[in-house]
Amino acid sequence: MDTKKLAKHFPEIAHLPPHEQHSLLGKAYADALSPENKIHNSGNNLVTILLLGALCFFVVLSIRSTLDMSPATSAILMLLIGFPSYLLVQQQRMIRQIRISLRKFLP
């Protein structure tokens, strides 16, 4: 975990010294990935995968036939849109979870 890159997403700790930011983010990160939150995280991951899978099927079944795209073109389109979308959603969810955990540790 690179706390320098992660700290820019949390303006609520910007006024703290870097070593304190690092320790708070480390605690919040560990809390966000703790076993107590494992079921919640797994459920959210499953929902995200199912939604993006449904989006991919929608692209393949409707948009591909409507735009008369070749299978290779639709596959490239899904790779260019689907995978980065999944990564972006996962990153935003992780930042949200760390923010919730960070509020527990802020003075």
Side-chain angles (χ1 to χ4, degrees), residues 12-29:
E12 58 265 28
I13 61 170
H15 65 282
L16 299 173
H19 63 79
E20 195 170 339
Q21 288 179 8
H22 177 69
S23 66
L24 279 172
L25 286 175
K27 288 178 192 176
Y29 185 81

Side-chain angles (χ1 to χ4, degrees), residues 27-44 97 100-101 104-105:
K27 288 178 192 176
Y29 185 81
D31 184 60
L33 296 177
S34 68
E36 294 85 26
N37 295 329
K38 193 171 188 174
I39 298 287
H40 184 262
N41 293 341
S42 298
N44 285 339
Q97 287 176 325
I100 291 168
S101 295
K104 295 178 189 176
F105 298 111

Side-chain angles (χ1 to χ4, degrees), residues 21-98:
Q21 288 179 8
H22 177 69
S23 66
L24 279 172
L25 286 175
K27 288 178 192 176
Y29 185 81
D31 184 60
L33 296 177
S34 68
E36 294 85 26
N37 295 329
K38 193 171 188 174
I39 298 287
H40 184 262
N41 293 341
S42 298
N44 285 339
N45 287 341
L46 182 62
V47 168
T48 304
I49 289 171
L50 290 175
L51 287 174
L52 288 174
L55 176 67
C56 289
F57 278 120
F58 175 72
V59 167
V60 168
L61 295 176
S62 64
I63 294 177
R64 185 179 140 216
S65 62
T66 303
L67 298 177
D68 197 30
M69 297 164 68
S70 69
T73 306
S74 66
I76 290 171
L77 182 67
M78 284 192 302
L79 284 174
L80 291 175
I81 294 174
F83 186 64
S85 299
Y86 176 74
L87 293 178
L88 183 66
V89 167
Q90 288 296 94
Q91 178 190 21
Q92 294 302 316
R93 279 189 42 245
M94 190 65 196
I95 289 170
R96 196 172 331 133
Q97 287 176 325
I98 293 173

